[in-house]
Amino acid sequence: MLTPETAHSVWLADGRRLGYAEFGDRAGFPAFFFHGEPGSRLSGALLADHAQAAGVRLIAPDRPGFGLSGFQPGRGRIEWPDDVAQLADLLGIGQYATVGWSAGGPYALACAAQHPQRVAAAGVLAGVDRLGHLNPRLVKSLWRIRLPGGDRNRWAEAISQAWLRTRTAAGNTIEATNEAAATIAAGMREGVRESTAGVLHELRLLNRDWDFDPGAIAGVPIRFWHGLDDTLISTRHTRTLAARIPNAQATYLPGCGHVTLLTQHGREILTELRRLAT
């Protein structure tokens, strides 16, 4: 899983390191993919083949405190768009799309709110903004990272298995394929490779109000996708949030869970975002 293409890093203006991976069509339209909680840049591999087919250059950065990215004490969500813009500048990218999966969803919208002149389209895939919208069993497992003396790798493995046990209400077993399961587990292990600071900070953010108004986003096409059989994250958040953003559109997919949203529908999602962006 760790290859030269998945272990890039740059130094930001404030001296922090930002890790990222690249997937898909290197000559395609650039889109930044934001991982869930827990997770890391390696989660972008779930969309690698779809990005190639859709003509999308998928760039997946680690948020502060995850993977290769240095921790940023006290950050909210609204600081992230500047990190992404700096990374885009360093990569020679002008306009781009943003794609946020799960807890990464709010960050895709934060970028659209903060840099509408650069974000050409934003997609939220099974997004979540509050711990109360997560499966309660998973929330309990997430907080176990605070226990002293715990092994981070064993915790990451346990969380990845919890994800797969709550795959879909319909019991769609494709979410538990060996390839998808290995990618999810690798992404979570990588997320806590240095420390648990990023995971714990993100959990606290999920208990706070947003530090930007998604309803004020203007001029950026916004699209939501959510599986109707997602038992990890309720569609309640997506339905409420999509109604707040002018001209946003939401697609709800029957028989689709939290992971199959990417593995089964990634190509159509990325194709639509590229169409909107170009």
Side-chain angles (χ1 to χ4, degrees), residues 106-127:
Y107 294 94
L109 297 176
C111 290
Q114 191 77 347
H115 295 297
Q117 74 282 5
R118 299 196 67 174
V119 177
V124 179
L125 317 183

Side-chain angles (χ1 to χ4, degrees), residues 7-256:
H8 297 294
S9 65
V10 297
W11 294 96
L12 301 177
D14 63 1
R16 284 182 295 117
R17 186 187 187 193
L18 184 72
Y20 70 97
E22 289 212 41
F23 306 96
D25 183 356
R26 299 305 191 270
F29 186 83
F32 288 93
F33 172 82
F34 306 142
H35 61 78
E37 158 69 343
S40 69
R41 67 194 185 282
L42 300 185
S43 304
L46 291 167
L47 287 172
D49 291 343
H50 297 303
Q52 183 69 40
V56 168
R57 178 187 180 186
L58 197 69
I59 304 153
D62 291 320
R63 288 195 293 281
F66 292 83
L68 296 174
S69 291
F71 186 58
Q72 185 182 20
R75 76 165 175 90
R77 292 188 175 97
I78 203 60
E79 287 82 15
W80 179 243
D82 287 343
D83 286 358
V84 175
Q86 280 193 64
L87 177 57
D89 289 342
L90 291 167
L91 296 177
I93 293 170
Q95 284 197 310
Y96 46 86
T98 57
V99 189
W101 180 41
S102 197
Y107 294 94
L109 297 176
C111 290
Q114 191 77 347
H115 295 297
Q117 74 282 5
R118 299 196 67 174
V119 177
V124 179
L125 317 183
V128 64
D129 68 333
R130 290 282 184 179
L131 283 177
H133 291 167
L134 280 169
N135 183 290
R137 184 171 62 190
L138 180 63
V139 173
K140 183 178 180 180
S141 298
L142 284 167
W143 280 119
R144 288 183 65 83
I145 195 63
R146 296 177 297 177
L147 298 177
D151 182 283
R152 292 197 299 269
N153 284 335
R154 290 182 62 185
W155 174 85
E157 291 287 346
I159 291 295
S160 68
Q161 290 304 309
W163 274 47
L164 295 171
R165 283 197 301 272
T166 56
R167 50 191 184 273
T168 71
N172 194 333
T173 57
I174 197 169
E175 295 224 333
T177 59
N178 290 338
E179 184 178 4
T183 298
I184 291 166
M188 292 182 181
R189 287 194 303 269
E190 180 68 11
V192 293
R193 64 177 291 166
E194 298 293 337
S195 76
T196 61
V199 168
L200 287 171
H201 188 74
E202 192 102 331
L203 284 172
R204 296 184 186 104
L205 284 179
L206 284 169
N207 271 329
R208 300 177 189 170
D209 292 334
W210 289 19
D211 51 4
F212 70 97
D213 180 9
I217 296 173
V220 179
I222 306 295
R223 296 291 184 270
F224 293 84
W225 286 269
H226 208 127
L228 287 174
D229 287 300
D230 187 336
T231 58
L232 199 65
I233 295 177
S234 168
T235 60
R236 180 174 63 231
H237 162 61
T238 292
R239 295 183 188 279
T240 301
L241 187 57
R244 289 180 57 190
I245 302 176
N247 302 314
Q249 296 182 17
T251 299
Y252 301 96
L253 298 163
C256 182

